[in-house]
Amino acid sequence: MIDYDNFSKRLKIIMQNNEISAAQFAEILNVPRSSISHLLSGRNKPSLEFVLKVLKNFAGVELYWLLNGDGTYLKPDK
């Protein structure tokens, strides 16, 4: 189950760790800036397409951490 209440916090962590703004994040994901703004404010919930774009463009991000905060931010090295 997705932890929607804290999803925006995890997006902010991704942006901070990559030293990018919300506008740059939107550009990287090829989504409108308003989509990022709405997600960060909690107004909208993330779509599956959005989650997949994050995982594709930030390959180190762990899926379960992104969705519900479980585990670690980055995938463990194999």
Side-chain angles (χ1 to χ4, degrees), residues 8 11-12 14-16 18-41 50 58:
S8 65
L11 290 182
K12 289 175 186 175
I14 293 170
M15 290 187 295
Q16 288 171 349
N18 288 280
E19 299 179 349
I20 57 175
S21 67
Q24 291 168 316
F25 193 52
E27 188 174 321
I28 290 167
L29 299 179
N30 196 28
V31 298
R33 282 189 242 170
S34 61
S35 295
I36 300 300
S37 176
H38 293 164
L39 286 166
L40 292 175
S41 71
F50 179 82
F58 298 91

Side-chain angles (χ1 to χ4, degrees), residues 60 62 72 74-78:
E62 172 61 46
T72 60
L74 295 175
K75 295 177 186 175
D77 290 336
K78 292 186 179 184

Side-chain angles (χ1 to χ4, degrees), residues 41-61:
S41 71
R43 176 179 171 189
N44 290 358
K45 295 179 180 177
S47 66
L48 175 58
E49 181 181 6
F50 179 82
V51 169
L52 293 174
K53 285 183 177 191
V54 172
L55 295 175
K56 179 182 177 186
N57 289 282
F58 298 91
V61 174

Side-chain angles (χ1 to χ4, degrees), residues 10 13-14 61-73:
R10 291 188 293 279
I13 290 170
I14 293 170
V61 174
E62 172 61 46
L63 171 63
Y64 295 108
W65 174 84
L66 179 61
L67 294 179
N68 57 33
D70 287 346
T72 60
Y73 164 66

